[in-house]
Amino acid sequence: RRLPSGDNVERAHEVECVYIPETDRGTLCVSSQVGCTLNCSFCHTGTQRLVRNLTAGEIVGQVMVARDRLNDWADREDGTRRVTNIVMMGMGEPLYNFDAVRDALLIVGDNEGIGISRRRITLSTSGVVPNIVRAGDEIGVMLAISLHAVRDELRNELVPLNRKYPIKELLQACRDYPGASNARRITFEYVMLKGVNDSLDDAKLLVKLLKGIHAKINLIPFNPWPGTAYECSDWDQIEKFSEYIFNAGYSSPVRTPRGRDILAACGQLKSETEKLSARERQALRAMAMTD
Ligand code: SF4
């Protein structure tokens, strides 16, 4: 942050991190960049241009600020903590800020640092293939892939990085991910978009593609944001999709939407200063009323 000098005042850059409390754990979703270069078409962050990479200190700082705000520097009476899990799923593509993300996660996972087990830290990528195996070697945390489509044609549209690293190459990098096993499965995130990627044919192809990979599939009901053309799949379609995958032997939990009303749910993050124009606030209120 630069301090005001004369008339030339530069605004501080902002990122968001989100704390998701659950009964048996508390997950902190952390950002790696201010904005994002990748423009995934279903993601609100993708509509904010990349301002800059965060430093390792700013990434670790998000965990420290959360612990401060939650008064979470010591075990509570029952021996638990509030922040038990970290997911690098906030704003930005972590593998496009590799060195800072690596240094930050090594500090967060080190007993002399923040001391959160690497098995409780998940790095999510939209598929920067050359850095996936490197992440396994140099960081050694759990891996999540933003897959969202099973055909290149559609994935090119939803996750444009797919044009550079198509599904086949991405899945090969997952097969090669060091340390993946049944106990350390790779999570595949799949946002459920009505009439776009939610058919049973998609579910069948998904199962086929993941054959031989230690995988679980996280189904994410789409979280709408002002201006998006996508809609969330109907609930019974999400259940059918999930059931097919489950019957094929994969864990397929449906992520409970949290924080939609304040644009803090998955795929909705954007810096507060950029987020809410008056028109967007109006659209958000209308969405909250129909949600
Ligand atoms: S889904 Fe991730 S990689 Fe894609 S635009 Fe959003 S923040 Fe960037």
Side-chain angles (χ1 to χ4, degrees):
R1 180 193 285 254
R2 212 180 269 172
L3 292 174
S5 78
D7 290 329
N8 189 13
V9 178
E10 188 177 298
R11 293 182 84 147
H13 299 142
E14 292 176 340
V15 287
E16 300 202 328
C17 70
V18 179
Y19 176 64
I20 308 139
E22 287 168 272
T23 42
D24 59 337
R25 71 173 92 175
T27 302
L28 189 70
C29 179
V30 173
S31 294
S32 56
Q33 298 179 311
V34 186
C36 189
T37 43
L38 292 183
N39 303 111
C40 299
S41 57
F42 59 88
C43 173
H44 200 202
T45 311
T47 64
Q48 179 179 351
R49 69 181 175 86
L50 177 72
V51 179
R52 68 170 173 86
N53 284 333
L54 295 180
T55 65
E58 288 166 334
I59 296 168
V60 178
Q62 294 171 63
V63 183
M64 296 180 71
V65 166
R67 283 227 151 139
D68 278 349
R69 293 285 293 267
L70 295 164
N71 195 15
D72 190 38
W73 286 109
D75 289 349
R76 290 185 286 175
E77 273 175 14
D78 59 1
T80 61
R81 287 291 184 96
R82 289 186 197 272
V83 178
T84 58
N85 293 54
I86 303 289
V87 291
M88 290 291 319
M89 293 184 189
M91 295 164 64
E93 165 51 64
L95 294 186
Y96 273 156
N97 185 14
F98 190 93
D99 291 358
V101 167
R102 175 197 56 212
D103 294 352
L105 293 185
L106 291 179
I107 292 168
V108 172
D110 196 295
N111 279 337
E112 301 290 321
I114 306 273
I116 294 175
S117 157
R118 285 191 209 173
R119 299 184 70 141
R120 290 178 174 271
I121 302 174
T122 302
L123 184 151
S124 173
T125 177
S126 52
V128 184
V129 165
N131 283 346
I132 288 179
V133 171
R134 209 182 143 204
D137 282 334
E138 296 182 33
I139 314 177
V141 292
M142 308 296 283
L143 179 69
I145 303 288
S146 291
L147 188 65
H148 309 308
V150 288
R151 294 177 185 83
D152 280 323
E153 204 184 17
L154 177 60
R155 195 163 189 270
N156 287 346
E157 199 183 295
L158 297 179
V159 185
L161 185 66
N162 194 70
R163 294 194 194 114
K164 199 165 179 190
Y165 306 115
I167 292 173
K168 199 168 165 212
E169 283 179 34
L170 174 59
L171 295 182
Q172 189 54 48
C174 294
R175 291 194 167 84
D176 297 340
Y177 189 70
S181 66
N182 215 20
R184 304 193 65 191
R185 282 176 289 169
I186 297 172
T187 302
F188 288 85
E189 292 151 5
Y190 197 97
V191 66
M192 298 298 295
L193 302 169
K194 187 174 183 171
V196 175
N197 64 353
D198 62 351
S199 72
L200 274 188
D201 281 348
D202 290 309
K204 283 177 194 165
L205 189 49
L206 178 59
V207 165
K208 213 165 149 187
L209 285 175
L210 296 186
K211 200 158 183 248
I213 300 178
H214 299 289
K216 66 176 172 184
I217 297 130
N218 229 343
L219 299 178
I220 307 167
F222 174 64
N223 295 306
W225 38 270
T228 181
Y230 296 114
E231 285 177 66
C232 181
S233 304
D234 293 333
W235 200 255
D236 65 334
Q237 188 59 26
I238 296 177
E239 281 183 341
K240 274 186 211 152
F241 198 97
S242 167
E243 202 176 289
Y244 182 87
I245 295 168
F246 181 78
N247 289 337
Y250 292 97
S251 158
S252 56
V254 179
R255 191 182 294 169
T256 318
R258 305 278 298 271
R260 271 181 174 181
D261 50 340
I262 53 167
L263 281 187
C266 194
Q268 291 183 314
L269 300 187
K270 196 168 175 180
S271 300
E272 192 64 30
T273 40
E274 295 216 9
K275 197 190 293 175
L276 295 177
S277 65
R279 198 161 48 84
E280 285 190 329
R281 267 197 296 272
Q282 209 173 19
L284 178 62
R285 268 197 300 273
M287 274 181 344
M289 283 164 72
T290 54
D291 223 8

